Amino acid sequence: GEYEHVKFRVRKYATGLHEPGEAFLEAKVKHNNMQQKLRVRAASDILLDPSRWHELPGADAAYFAELAADRRLLPVVNVYYEREAFALTDLTETGETTRLNFDTCITALYPREDRATRALVESRAVMHPGQVLLEVKQSNHILPSALRREMQQVNASRTTFSKYAESLQRLDELNGHFEVSA
């Protein structure tokens, strides 16, 4: 809801707990009511060290490097989760594609913890075991009627949920403080 802000995240896509995967530095830049997304692919060791963002490839690299230097950015939390993603095309209403992401095992890790073991997944869980976060993404903000009916049948309600904020809170609950390391 803020008028202007920039959010950074390093995102890694992998098929398993200890598998290598593609890594990206992403920024969401909100100015007035316009939002722009920037994304750069690079090795995760560079992405986790903002002082090395000047080494990033691509046209947006200078933007990331400049902001990292100006704002002295440091990683705050590493959020691990498992995701199953689906696409639902609603031909009866708008023809828009709605993305459905089912996130489980949401786990709070400290910034330099790049591996989530089963023990960490259990001890630092952000949600109760067996809970599933359904993330619905669509361009027109109109929930397809078929999905709306299914949601009503299971008594689901619309809410907001920040994996980042909930992970910070979980680490704070466990230790009474945040451990931010460069």
Side-chain angles (χ1 to χ4, degrees):
E2 294 176 19
Y3 189 67
E4 293 188 19
H5 66 261
V6 179
K7 293 181 184 178
F8 289 97
R9 74 173 157 207
V10 173
R11 177 173 285 200
K12 180 179 170 191
Y13 295 94
T15 57
L17 226 67
H18 301 290
E19 299 297 318
E22 289 187 296
F24 299 89
L25 176 61
E26 300 174 341
K28 290 183 182 179
V29 182
K30 186 174 182 183
H31 180 72
N32 296 336
N33 246 358
M34 303 298 291
Q35 183 167 291
Q36 179 183 12
K37 294 181 182 181
L38 305 172
R39 188 177 207 201
V40 175
R41 178 186 296 170
S44 57
D45 62 324
I46 293 173
L47 297 179
L48 292 173
D49 184 357
S51 70
R52 294 184 61 198
W53 287 358
H54 65 278
E55 300 173 31
L56 294 170
D60 295 325
Y63 173 79
F64 286 112
E66 181 182 324
L67 281 175
D70 288 349
R71 298 184 186 194
R72 296 187 181 124
L73 299 176
L74 292 173
V76 176
V77 66
N78 187 349
V79 181
Y80 166 84
Y81 55 96
E82 296 175 12
R83 171 171 282 176
E84 281 193 72
F86 297 88
L88 172 67
T89 302
D90 188 358
L91 299 176
T92 61
E93 292 175 13
T94 63
E96 295 284 330
T97 299
T98 301
R99 289 188 351 215
L100 305 174
N101 297 323
F102 294 87
D103 296 341
T104 58
C105 300
I106 301 171
T107 306
L109 303 174
Y110 288 107
R112 293 295 176 187
E113 291 179 311
D114 62 352
R115 300 263 190 239
T117 64
R118 280 290 156 207
L120 284 177
V121 168
E122 291 172 11
S123 67
R124 301 224 197 116
V126 171
M127 298 187 323
H128 296 294
Q131 280 188 314
V132 177
L133 175 67
L134 169 59
E135 182 180 75
V136 179
K137 295 203 172 193
Q138 62 215 107
S139 60
N140 63 8
H141 304 288
I142 299 170
L143 199 61
S145 58
L147 182 58
R148 188 173 31 255
R149 283 192 301 273
E150 292 298 320
M151 301 292 278
Q152 288 169 343
Q153 284 188 357
V154 297
N155 202 25
S157 60
R158 177 178 270 179
T159 187
T160 59
F161 186 94
S162 168
K163 291 183 279 287
Y164 169 79
E166 293 293 327
S167 294
L168 285 177
Q169 182 177 339
R170 180 69 178 131
L171 291 178
D172 192 43
E173 289 169 359
L174 289 169
N175 298 307
H177 70 283
F178 298 118
E179 180 182 302
V180 178
S181 60

